[in-house]
């Protein structure tokens, strides 16, 4: 069932979105050469606790997860595209990292991902991040009342694939609200004019992921969570929680 949110409920989700944005800012500031992914997770926990919010990811156990999720953020580094665990891995000069965070306040969730480099950035990584952000922006711009879900995926794949990057479509966006994952599924790639009619009150997480090598293949790592590009190429993931309103799309996961 798809639940449309009222203006008041969207406002409540906006508060959770502010926490997600605060986590991203704090983690990005702390990230550096020699800092472990677990330390970044601890930073995120502190921000969430101080905001008197809850961590959407902690203990989450979907059918594709090997175990209940042990952290409050996903930390996906280099060839890890999605769901990277916050381990004892120490960040190195030139690493590319995506930080995915979910938080809730008073039962209302928000979900967002930011990607950045550590130390001296490779030009190709900066381009990958830039295109991913443009891909996400295109998807958000297509989230118009009266449109179709396929419009979002078509807009994103036009940008991402147009730049020569690979895109998988098994793990995409989703509805969000009282639960972190709700219906409908939001594809990264789809046909324009097809799919669910977009109505005011629908709130979705839009989250494209790109693989630099140009292929679409991926595999699950031995940890049972991390999704990695099949060819080992660098990968990136970006995401916003977006409310569809009568005035157009409104991004909720910003400061």
């Amino acid at each position: 069932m798809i639940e449309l949110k009222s203006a008041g409920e969207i406002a409540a989700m906006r508060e959770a979105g502010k926490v997600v944005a605060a986590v991203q800012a704090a983690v990005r500031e702390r990230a550096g050469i020699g800092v472990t992914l677990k330390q970044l997770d601890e930073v995120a926990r502190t921000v969430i606790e101080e905001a008197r919010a809850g961590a959407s990811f902690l203990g989450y156990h979907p059918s594709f997860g090997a175990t209940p999720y042990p952290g409050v953020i996903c930390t996906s580094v280099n060839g890890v595209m999605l769901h990277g665990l916050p381990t004892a891995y120490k960040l190195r000069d030139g690493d590319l990292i995506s930080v995915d965070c979910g938080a809730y306040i008073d039962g209302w969730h928000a979900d967002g991902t930011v990607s950045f480099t550590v130390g001296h950035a490779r030009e190709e990584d900066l381009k990958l991040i830039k295109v991913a952000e443009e891909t996400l922006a295109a998807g958000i711009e297509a989230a118009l009342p009266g449109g179709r879900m396929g419009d979002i995926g078509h807009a994103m794949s036009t940008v991402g694939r147009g730049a020569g990057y690979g895109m998988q479509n098994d793990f995409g966006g989703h509805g969000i609200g009282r639960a972190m994952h709700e219906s409908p599924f939001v594809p990264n790639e789809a046909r324009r004019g097809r799919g669910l009619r977009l109505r005011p009150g629908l709130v979705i997480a839009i989250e494209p992921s790109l693989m630099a090598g140009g292929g679409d293949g991926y595999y699950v790592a031995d940890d049972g969570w991390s999704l990695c590009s099949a060819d080992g190429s660098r990968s990136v993931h970006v995401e916003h929680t977006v409310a569809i309103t009568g005035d157009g799309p409104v991004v909720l996961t910003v400061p």
Side-chain angles (χ1 to χ4, degrees):
M1 183 180 72
I2 297 173
E3 180 185 18
L4 300 180
K5 279 71 176 180
S6 68
E9 291 168 340
I10 290 172
M13 295 181 68
R14 176 74 181 87
E15 293 306 307
K18 290 179 182 178
V19 176
V20 170
V23 167
Q24 292 172 341
V27 168
R28 186 167 190 162
E29 182 177 1
R30 181 69 178 90
I33 299 169
V35 176
T36 69
L37 302 181
K38 184 174 178 58
Q39 287 174 316
L40 296 184
D41 190 72
E42 291 168 355
V43 168
R45 288 173 189 253
T46 298
V47 173
I48 291 172
E49 289 173 0
E50 291 181 349
R52 298 183 179 180
S56 303
F57 294 0
L58 187 61
Y60 182 59
H61 196 182
S63 60
F64 60 81
T67 59
Y69 196 75
V72 302
I73 55 175
C74 295
T75 49
S76 303
V77 179
N78 298 333
V80 180
M81 175 177 54
L82 299 167
H83 307 155
L85 298 177
T87 65
Y89 174 83
K90 292 182 179 180
L91 290 169
R92 302 170 183 173
D93 188 31
D95 275 348
L96 170 61
I97 180 171
S98 299
V99 177
D100 190 355
C101 176
Y104 62 89
I105 293 180
D106 295 331
W108 293 101
H109 295 253
D111 189 5
T113 308
V114 65
S115 293
F116 54 91
T117 57
V118 175
H120 296 88
R122 304 181 184 183
E123 287 299 322
E124 55 267 35
D125 287 344
L126 295 178
K127 179 185 176 183
L128 180 62
I129 293 171
K130 180 175 182 291
V131 173
E133 291 173 344
E134 291 171 348
T135 299
L136 175 58
I140 294 171
E141 290 173 5
L144 297 171
R148 297 282 185 176
M149 186 65 75
D151 300 346
I152 297 174
H154 174 78
M156 291 197 294
S157 62
T158 297
V159 176
R161 289 205 182 278
Y165 297 127
M167 297 180 74
Q168 59 77 36
N169 210 24
D170 294 333
F171 293 85
H174 50 88
I176 186 169
R178 298 179 191 274
M180 179 174 61
H181 286 146
E182 298 181 348
S183 295
F185 178 70
V186 182
N188 294 325
E189 186 170 24
R191 295 181 63 182
R192 183 168 51 194
R194 299 295 182 90
L196 178 74
R197 178 76 67 183
L198 304 177
R199 298 169 58 191
L202 179 64
V203 182
I204 54 177
I206 302 175
E207 50 177 314
S209 50
L210 302 179
M211 292 174 277
D216 300 347
Y218 66 90
Y219 66 93
V220 181
D222 291 341
D223 63 22
W225 273 100
S226 302
L227 299 185
C228 310
S229 60
D231 60 7
S233 65
R234 311 274 263 202
S235 304
V236 71
H237 174 214
V238 289
E239 175 185 16
H240 273 306
T241 295
V242 180
I244 297 172
T245 76
D247 296 324
V250 176
V251 176
L252 305 183
T253 40
V254 289

